[in-house]
Amino acid sequence: ERAGAETYALPVSFVSGPEAEVLRRERPQAMMAEVEVATTAGTETGLLFDGLEDPDLCTALLEAIWRRRTFRGAAGELVAIRTKALGKLRGPEGVSLAPESLRGEQSNTSVVYGGRLVFKLFRRLSEGINPDLEVGRFLTEHAGFPHIPAVAGALEYRSGHRQPITLGILQAFVTNEGDAWSFTLDQMEGYYERALSLQAEVPEVPGPEGSYLELIEEDPPPPLFEMGTHLELARLLGQRTAELHLALTHDPEDPGFAPEPFTTLYQRSLYESMRTSATRNLELLRRRLEGLTGPVEAESRRLLEREEELLGAYRAIVGARLGGARIRVHGDYHLGQVLYTGNDFIIIDFEGEPARPLSERRLKRSPLSDVAGMLRGV
C-alpha cells in the first residue's frame, strides 16, 4: 500500500423502479449515485446505495455466517465464520430475524436481527484480526465471561499470504437502558436534586489537606447512601472491570493472552512513547497559545511553565522494576463502552481506539490503563 493509504468497507446494493423512489424519499442518506445499467431489454436507471440499508443483503450476510459460506473473488475470498454460540442465540426455526439498521454517530455500522443478534461492520479496515473479534471470541469461547455480548460469528477477507482482514462481527443483542454515561448523567441529576432538598440534613464533607482522591478511602456520610444507588452501582462496575481483567488472563498457554512481566525494555519504550506524546501536545499548545483567552490561557501558560517538571515525572517509569503483569485490556474503556441493563453492566466494543494502528491496539498493557481511561471519562 502507498504511505497514508486507507481501506474502507463499502457494501453496495442496487435498486430501481418504484423501490428507488421510496429510497430517494425515505432514506436519502443511504444513496450513493444514480446509475444506468444495461439489461437484456435495453437500459435501466436506478440507485446505488449503502448495502446495510438493504434488508435482502443483510439477511444474506446472516445466512452466510450461519452456513459458513465462502465467496471467492478475483484477488481473495470472503469467509464467513460461525461460533458455537450462534445456534442458541439465533433461536428456533420460525423466529423472526428481520434486519434493522441502526443509525447513530459511530465509526462502524450495525444491523440488528429480530432483537436477538447484531452485526457490526467495521468501516475502516486494517490487515490482521480486529481486537473486537479476537478478544470477544476469547472471552466467549475460552473464558466464558458473561458480561459481554457473546460472539456468534464474523466475516473475514483473506488474500494470499497476507493476514486476514476482519470485516464484521456478529454478536448477541443486549437489551439495555442505554450506555453507562447516559445512565450516570440521569443518576447525577436526580442525586443533586435530592441533595438540594435535604441540604440541611447532610453534613458537610471536609476537604482533604492534599488530593481529593484521598476521599476515596473514606466512607461518605450515611445520608448520601440513602439518596440513591449510584455509589453501589459504581462499586459493581468496578467489580465487573476486575472480573474482565481476570478473564483476559484465563489461558496462560495462549500467547495472545498470556500475562507477561514488565521488562526494562518495555518500561523504556513506554517512557519514550509518553514523553514524545507529551512533547508533541505541549508544542501544539504553545503554537495555539495566542488564540486563547481568559482562564484557559492562564492555565495553559502555567502548564507550559511546568513542562520540565511534567516530563521529569515520567522518568519514574524507567526507575525501579514495575510489579504486576501486562495483559490484554479493553483499550478504550469509558462509560460509553458499557451498557446498563437495569441491574447490571455489559462491556462492549473491544476494538480499541480506531485511529491507532491495529498492532498497537493489540499490545498487552497494565490493566490500570483501563481504570485510568474510565476515571478520565468520568
Side-chain angles (χ1 to χ4, degrees), residues 282 285-286 289 292-307 310:
L282 288 170
L285 178 62
R286 189 174 289 108
L289 193 60
L292 303 178
T293 59
V296 175
E297 180 191 6
E299 291 176 7
S300 298
R301 291 187 182 278
R302 285 197 294 270
L303 175 61
L304 291 171
E305 290 170 359
R306 302 180 67 178
E307 178 175 355
L310 171 64

Side-chain angles (χ1 to χ4, degrees), residues 286-331:
R286 189 174 289 108
R287 293 199 302 268
R288 301 286 179 86
L289 193 60
E290 297 304 322
L292 303 178
T293 59
V296 175
E297 180 191 6
E299 291 176 7
S300 298
R301 291 187 182 278
R302 285 197 294 270
L303 175 61
L304 291 171
E305 290 170 359
R306 302 180 67 178
E307 178 175 355
E308 289 304 317
E309 182 182 348
L310 171 64
L311 298 178
Y314 291 155
R315 295 192 187 98
I317 298 174
V318 292
R321 186 75 174 267
L322 297 179
R326 294 186 295 126
I327 65 171
R328 293 296 293 271
V329 297
H330 184 284

Side-chain angles (χ1 to χ4, degrees), residues 177-237:
E177 297 183 6
D179 62 41
W181 173 246
S182 300
F183 171 72
T184 298
L185 292 179
D186 291 341
Q187 287 286 302
M188 290 297 96
E189 182 178 2
Y191 184 86
Y192 284 121
E193 288 178 355
R194 291 189 293 273
L196 287 173
S197 67
L198 298 172
Q199 190 170 8
E201 303 175 30
V202 180
E204 183 177 349
V205 179
E209 296 181 1
S211 169
Y212 273 88
L213 290 176
E214 294 175 9
L215 292 176
I216 294 175
E217 300 178 3
E218 301 179 13
D219 291 331
L224 296 183
F225 279 104
E226 297 169 5
M227 286 191 293
T229 60
H230 191 70
L231 291 175
E232 178 59 26
L233 289 171
R235 183 203 63 79
L236 177 60
L237 179 57

Side-chain angles (χ1 to χ4, degrees), residues 100-340:
E100 179 182 358
S101 296
L102 293 182
R103 301 178 181 88
E105 296 182 5
Q106 52 186 354
S107 56
N108 305 309
T109 305
S110 298
V111 178
V112 175
Y113 294 93
R116 302 182 69 91
L117 294 161
V118 58
F119 176 77
K120 178 166 62 175
L121 177 77
F122 300 113
R123 291 293 189 177
R124 185 171 180 265
L125 305 178
S126 299
E127 188 175 327
I129 185 170
N130 190 292
D132 204 10
L133 173 59
E134 182 185 22
V135 174
R137 194 167 184 179
F138 177 86
L139 292 173
T140 299
E141 298 187 319
H142 298 280
F145 185 64
H147 300 288
I148 65 163
V151 174
L155 288 179
E156 285 187 345
Y157 181 74
R158 300 174 184 174
S159 178
H161 298 292
R162 303 177 67 178
Q163 296 184 61
I165 297 174
T166 308
L167 269 72
I169 180 173
L170 183 69
Q171 299 170 296
F173 178 79
V174 178
T175 302
N176 63 87
E177 297 183 6
D179 62 41
W181 173 246
S182 300
F183 171 72
T184 298
L185 292 179
D186 291 341
Q187 287 286 302
M188 290 297 96
E189 182 178 2
Y191 184 86
Y192 284 121
E193 288 178 355
R194 291 189 293 273
L196 287 173
S197 67
L198 298 172
Q199 190 170 8
E201 303 175 30
V202 180
E204 183 177 349
V205 179
E209 296 181 1
S211 169
Y212 273 88
L213 290 176
E214 294 175 9
L215 292 176
I216 294 175
E217 300 178 3
E218 301 179 13
D219 291 331
L224 296 183
F225 279 104
E226 297 169 5
M227 286 191 293
T229 60
H230 191 70
L231 291 175
E232 178 59 26
L233 289 171
R235 183 203 63 79
L236 177 60
L237 179 57
Q239 177 182 330
R240 295 290 180 251
T241 302
E243 291 169 349
L244 166 68
H245 291 145
L246 286 174
L248 287 168
T249 67
H250 177 77
D251 188 355
E253 302 302 319
D254 186 329
F257 290 87
E260 297 178 5
F262 287 95
T263 63
T264 54
L265 180 62
Y266 176 83
Q267 289 177 227
R268 170 60 62 175
S269 175
L270 182 61
Y271 165 69
E272 295 292 349
S273 174
M274 293 175 65
R275 182 182 173 86
T276 299
S277 178
T279 302
R280 185 185 303 116
N281 283 292
L282 288 170
E283 181 58 33
L284 176 61
L285 178 62
R286 189 174 289 108
R287 293 199 302 268
R288 301 286 179 86
L289 193 60
E290 297 304 322
L292 303 178
T293 59
V296 175
E297 180 191 6
E299 291 176 7
S300 298
R301 291 187 182 278
R302 285 197 294 270
L303 175 61
L304 291 171
E305 290 170 359
R306 302 180 67 178
E307 178 175 355
E308 289 304 317
E309 182 182 348
L310 171 64
L311 298 178
Y314 291 155
R315 295 192 187 98
I317 298 174
V318 292
R321 186 75 174 267
L322 297 179
R326 294 186 295 126
I327 65 171
R328 293 296 293 271
V329 297
H330 184 284
D332 189 23
Y333 202 47
H334 54 80
L335 290 173
Q337 306 286 41
V338 181
L339 299 179
Y340 180 59

Side-chain angles (χ1 to χ4, degrees), residues 49-94:
F49 67 103
D50 186 346
L52 291 193
E53 294 277 354
D54 181 355
D56 292 336
L57 177 57
C58 293
T59 299
L61 290 177
L62 178 61
E63 186 70 10
I65 293 174
W66 175 251
R67 299 188 181 278
R68 300 188 180 94
R69 287 178 173 161
T70 297
F71 304 92
R72 291 179 173 81
E77 57 185 21
L78 183 66
V79 180
I81 301 168
R82 168 183 163 185
T83 73
K84 294 179 180 179
L86 180 55
K88 181 178 180 180
L89 295 173
R90 188 173 185 264
E93 291 292 333

